[in-house]
Amino acid sequence: MAEGITAKKPTRIQLRNRKRILDAALDVFSQHGYRGATLDQIAAEAGLSKPNILYYFEGKEDIHVTLLNKLMDAWLDPLRHIDPHGDPLEEILRYVHRKLEMSREFPRESRLFANEVLQGAPRMGPHLETGLKELVDDTARVIEDWIAQGRLAPVDPRHLIFSIWATTQHYADFDAQVQVLMEGRDVHKGASEFLDTLYRRMLAP
Amino acid sequence: MAEGITAKKPTRIQLRNRKRILDAALDVFSQHGYRGATLDQIAAEAGLSKPNILYYFEGKEDIHVTLLNKLMDAWLDPLRHIDPHGDPLEEILRYVHRKLEMSREFPRESRLFANEVLQGAPRMGPHLETGLKELVDDTARVIEDWIAQGRLAPVDPRHLIFSIWATTQHYADFDAQVQVLMEGRDVHKGASEFLDTLYRRMLAP
Amino acid sequence: MAEGITAKKPTRIQLRNRKRILDAALDVFSQHGYRGATLDQIAAEAGLSKPNILYYFEGKEDIHVTLLNKLMDAWLDPLRHIDPHGDPLEEILRYVHRKLEMSREFPRESRLFANEVLQGAPRMGPHLETGLKELVDDTARVIEDWIAQGRLAPVDPRHLIFSIWATTQHYADFDAQVQVLMEGRDVHKGASEFLDTLYRRMLAP
Amino acid sequence: MAEGITAKKPTRIQLRNRKRILDAALDVFSQHGYRGATLDQIAAEAGLSKPNILYYFEGKEDIHVTLLNKLMDAWLDPLRHIDPHGDPLEEILRYVHRKLEMSREFPRESRLFANEVLQGAPRMGPHLETGLKELVDDTARVIEDWIAQGRLAPVDPRHLIFSIWATTQHYADFDAQVQVLMEGRDVHKGASEFLDTLYRRMLAP
DNA sequence: TATGAATGAGAATTCATTCAT
DNA sequence: CATGAATGAATTCTCATTCAT
C-alpha cells in the first residue's frame, strides 16, 4: 500500500519522469548488467534523487522488468510483419534488414536483452514462453509452407531465424569487438551487404 | 601482497585448488556476470573457504582475468588452424563445425566471453587489440586470396568471420531462448546441418 | 561517489553530525593511530551507524585528512601571532606559553599530529611543505633580525622553534609517561614555570 | 605448552633468527605503529616464513613486548650514568649529548617508544612505574642536591629531564617534519650546538 | 626447524531501501 | 512530488593465528 503511482491517470510530470528514469536505466543496465547497475547511477543519469526514483518504481527490479516488457514488444514487432502473402525471399530479407537496422538504432535494447538471456533469462521466462514461442512457431510454419511450395530453398526455419537474430544482433552486442577488428571501416554498410548476400544465396530457390 | 602463492613452482595442492577455483568461478561468472558473481558463491562451489580463495588469487578481478586469459587462447585456436593450402570451402566449414562444437562443449566459456564483450570488454582490451586483431587480419587475407583465385564466392571476409562467430556462439549464449523455442528437438544436430548448408550455399564458387 | 553529501550548503543536521563524527574520530585516531582506529569505534563514539558515517565522509581516510586539515590551521596559528615589532623575549615567551596552553587544552590534536609525523606524515606532506615551511622560514628571519639587533642572545632560530615545539607538545604526547613520573604534582604549573625560566635564561641578551 | 622455544639453551640458529625477527619488527613497528604493522611485513623483512616467526615468538604482541623490554634497558642507560660525584653541568650536558646521539643512532627505537607512549603505553605500564619511576626519582634527587649546593641554577629537576627527552628525541620522532624544514642543513651538528647552548645558559649557576 | 595451507574474526565499503519531512 | 537522512544486509578483502607435515 501507499505506493507512489496509483492506478489513476498519470500527470505530465509523472509521464516525463518515468520516461527519464527508464531511459537512464536502459543506459545503465545495458552497460553494466542488472547486478552491476546501481540506483545511484540511474538516479544521477536521470537527474532525479534516489528516493524519487523509488516513488515512481517499486524498486530496482521493477525498473528492469518494465524495461524488458517494453523491449520485447518492440523487439518482436518486425517478426510480426513478415507477410505470408508477400514474396518469400523479399519478406525475409526485409526482416533481416529491419533487424540489422534495429541493432544499429537500439544497441542498448539489444544488449539489455542479451544480458538477460545470457544469464538464463531469470526475469523474462514468461515472455519467452508465451509471446515469443507462439510467434516463432507461426513464422516457422509460414516459412515451411514457402519451402513446400518451392519458393524458398529448403532450410530449418527455426535455425534460420536464430541465424538472423545472431548475425544482426552481433553488431550491437559485440560492438566492442567489432570496433576493434573493423577499425575505421563502415561497419553497417558492409554488414548490410554481407547479410543481403548471405541470405539471398542461401534461400534463393 | 607478500602472501599466499609465491612465484615458485606450484605444488599439487596448489594446482588442484587453483583448478577448482577457476572451474567454480567459470560457473559463477558465466552465469551472473562479473559484478553479479560473489566470492561467496565461488567459494561455496569450489568447496573452499572464502579466505582460502584469496590465498590462491589476489582478488575477484584476478580470478576473472585469469579466466579470460586462459579462455582467449583456446577460443582463438580454431582460427589458427585454417590451412591456407587446404580446400577453401572445406577449411571454412571445418572452422564452422569446430566453433559450433566448442559452443556445445564449452558454453560457460562462451558466455563468459560474451558477458565481457557485452560490457565493453573492460578487462580484455589488450587481448582483442593484439592477439585477436592480428589473427583476424591474417585470416581475412587468406580468404581474400581464395576469393581472388575464384575458389570461393566473393564476400567480405571480416563479416564472414563475424557471422560464423555469431551463429555458432548463439547456441551457447542464447541457450535459454533456444531451449524454449526448440522444445525437445535435437538442437545441435539441426544447427550443424543448418550452418553447413548456410555456408556451403553462400561460399560455393 | 554520487552519494551522501553534495557540494551544496550543508544543513544544520549535516553540520552537527559532521562535527560529532570529527570529534569522535579525533578521540579515536589520536588514541590508536590511523591504522589502529576503526570506523566501528568512531561510529559508536559518535552515536551514529557506520554507514551513516560514510554518508558524511567518503571513507576513513577522508575523515582523517579532514581532521588534519583543520588541525594544521589551528596548530600554526600561534606562530603567526609572533609580532616582529614586539619585544623579542616577550614575544617568544608568549608563544611558548600559548603552545603549552594548547598542549593542555588540545592534547588529542597534539597526539593526532604526533602520530602522523611519527609515521612519516604520509597524509600530510603538502601541508608541511607549503604552509609550515614558509611560516617557519618567515619566523626564523624575524628571530635572526632580533639577534642581529642584539635584542636576543644568539641561537639557531630553527632549532629554537623545534625545542619549543618539543618541550610544549611533550606534555600532551608523552602524557602517559609524565603522569607516572609526576604522580600528584601540578604538572602544568611546573611546566609553565620551568619553560619560562628555560627560555628566559637562554634568550636574554 | 608446545611452544617453540623451550627454556633450554638456544642454538646459534635460534639466536640469529630471533635477532633477525626483532630487527625486522623494529623497522616495521616503528614505522607503522603496533596496529599498522603486520606479521607479513615483518616476516618478509626478516626473510622468514610467517609460521616460523610464530615458532620463535608467541605472537605479534610478544614480539612487540620483547622489543619494548630490550629498548627500555638501553633507553634508560644514559640516565644511570649520571655521576653524582662529577661536575653537575658537565654531567648533564654529557647526558644531553648522549641522548641526542642515541636519537641519531637509534631513531627506530625512539619512534617505537614514542608510538607506545603516545597511545597511553598500554603494553609498557609496568616498565614506567617500576624501573623508570625509581630512576627518575633518584636522578631528581641528585640534581636537587646539586642545586642546593649552588652548583646548578635552580630548576625543577623533573621538568628538566622531560625537556632533555623532548628536545633530543624530537629529532628522531619528528624527523619527517625536521627534514622538510631544515632542507639540506646539517641537522645534527646544529642540534648539538643548540642544545649545548640551551642547557649551558639555563643551568650555569 | 621450517613452511604450505587454511581459517575465523574483523574491517572498510557498497547499495537497495526506508523514514521523515 | 521531492529529498535529506539513515540503515541492514551484503561484499570484498585483511590479518593474526592454527594445522599438518
Side-chain angles (χ1 to χ4, degrees), chain A residues 32 35-36 113 118-119 132-133 153-154 158-160 166 171 173 177 180 183 185 190-191 194 198 201-202, chain B residues 31-32 35-36 113 118-119 132-133 153-154 158-159 166 171 173 177 180 182-183 185 190-191 198 201-202:
Chain A
H32 300 101
R35 286 286 303 270
F113 179 77
L118 206 45
Q119 313 203 350
L132 181 59
K133 178 84 168 66
R158 281 178 186 77
H159 288 289
L160 173 62
Y171 291 99
D173 301 346
Q177 192 181 37
V180 168
E183 278 181 310
R185 296 182 183 80
F194 172 81
L198 175 64
R201 288 188 192 160
M202 144 154 267
Chain B
Q31 196 175 356
H32 300 100
R35 287 285 304 270
F113 179 76
L118 204 46
Q119 314 205 349
L132 182 58
K133 178 83 168 69
R158 281 178 186 77
H159 287 288
Y171 291 99
D173 302 345
Q177 193 181 37
V180 168
M182 293 298 280
E183 279 181 309
R185 295 182 183 81
L198 175 64
R201 289 189 191 158
M202 145 155 266

Side-chain angles (χ1 to χ4, degrees), chain B residues 11 14 17 35 49 51-52 55-56:
Chain B
T11 56
Q14 279 184 24
N17 280 349
R35 287 285 304 270
S49 73
N52 202 14
Y55 173 75
Y56 288 100

Side-chain angles (χ1 to χ4, degrees), chain A residues 10-197:
Chain A
T11 61
R12 283 128 270 156
I13 293 186
Q14 283 182 7
L15 247 42
R16 192 201 53 184
N17 279 350
R18 282 184 66 93
K19 198 154 285 179
R20 272 194 196 177
I21 293 169
L22 289 175
D23 193 60
L26 178 54
D27 242 51
V28 178
F29 280 132
S30 69
Q31 197 175 355
H32 300 101
Y34 180 72
R35 286 286 303 270
T38 74
L39 283 187
D40 267 318
Q41 289 173 298
I42 295 173
E45 194 150 330
L48 297 171
S49 72
K50 215 171 8 166
N52 203 11
I53 298 248
L54 294 169
Y55 171 78
Y56 289 101
F57 291 90
E58 299 201 6
K60 188 182 181 180
E61 180 153 1
D62 185 24
I63 303 177
H64 195 250
V65 168
T66 303
L67 230 33
L68 285 175
N69 287 349
K70 291 208 167 191
L71 166 61
M72 280 306 281
D73 259 5
W75 213 237
L76 297 183
D77 199 55
L79 200 52
R80 290 196 196 90
H81 283 73
I82 291 183
D83 181 3
H85 307 299
D87 176 69
L89 189 51
E90 293 314 316
E91 284 301 316
I92 287 178
L93 282 171
R94 205 158 49 80
Y95 179 59
V96 169
H97 287 292
R98 182 71 197 108
K99 284 293 288 177
L100 183 61
E101 209 56 47
M102 287 180 66
S103 217
R104 192 170 59 155
E105 282 180 53
F106 309 108
R108 299 180 306 172
E109 281 82 350
S110 184
R111 282 184 211 124
L112 182 75
F113 179 77
N115 250 313
E116 184 66 11
V117 177
L118 206 45
Q119 313 203 350
R123 282 164 289 267
M124 246 188 48
H127 280 291
L128 299 184
E129 276 156 41
T130 35
L132 181 59
K133 178 84 168 66
E134 275 181 46
L135 189 52
V136 166
D137 283 347
D138 288 352
T139 309
R141 233 168 284 124
V142 170
I143 295 174
E144 275 161 359
D145 284 351
W146 283 338
I147 292 172
Q149 296 161 17
R151 303 171 68 195
L152 273 187
V155 287
D156 181 309
R158 281 178 186 77
H159 288 289
L160 173 62
I161 292 171
F162 293 160
S163 82
I164 295 173
W165 289 345
T167 51
T168 54
Q169 291 170 18
H170 185 86
Y171 291 99
D173 301 346
F174 289 76
D175 181 61
Q177 192 181 37
V178 169
Q179 289 306 323
V180 168
L181 299 177
M182 293 298 280
E183 278 181 310
R185 296 182 183 80
D186 181 342
V187 174
H188 188 70
K189 183 153 170 283
S192 182
E193 291 172 6
F194 172 81
L195 293 178
D196 201 275
T197 305

Side-chain angles (χ1 to χ4, degrees), chain C residues 174-188:
Chain C
F174 289 74
D175 181 61
Q177 193 181 37
V178 170
Q179 288 307 323
V180 167
L181 299 179
M182 293 296 280
E183 278 181 311
R185 296 181 182 80
D186 182 341
V187 175
H188 187 71

Side-chain angles (χ1 to χ4, degrees), chain B residues 112-163:
Chain B
L112 182 74
F113 179 76
N115 251 311
E116 183 67 10
V117 177
L118 204 46
Q119 314 205 349
R123 281 165 286 271
M124 249 190 44
H127 280 291
L128 299 184
E129 276 158 42
T130 35
L132 182 58
K133 178 83 168 69
E134 276 182 46
L135 188 52
V136 166
D137 284 346
D138 288 351
T139 309
R141 233 168 283 125
V142 170
I143 295 174
E144 276 162 358
D145 283 350
W146 282 337
I147 292 172
Q149 296 162 17
R151 303 169 70 195
L152 273 187
V155 287
D156 181 308
R158 281 178 186 77
H159 287 288
L160 173 62
I161 292 171
F162 293 161
S163 80

Side-chain angles (χ1 to χ4, degrees), chain C residues 88-127:
Chain C
L89 190 51
E90 295 312 316
E91 284 299 318
I92 286 177
L93 281 170
R94 206 159 49 79
Y95 178 59
V96 170
H97 286 293
R98 181 72 197 108
K99 283 294 287 178
L100 184 61
E101 210 57 48
M102 286 180 67
S103 218
R104 194 171 57 155
E105 281 179 55
F106 309 109
R108 298 179 305 171
E109 281 82 351
S110 184
R111 282 183 213 124
L112 182 74
F113 179 76
N115 250 312
E116 183 68 10
V117 177
L118 206 45
Q119 313 205 348
R123 281 165 286 271
M124 250 189 43
H127 280 291

Side-chain angles (χ1 to χ4, degrees), chain D residues 65-80:
Chain D
V65 169
T66 304
L67 230 33
L68 286 175
N69 287 349
K70 292 207 166 191
L71 166 60
M72 282 305 281
D73 259 4
W75 214 236
L76 298 182
D77 199 55
L79 201 51
R80 290 196 196 90

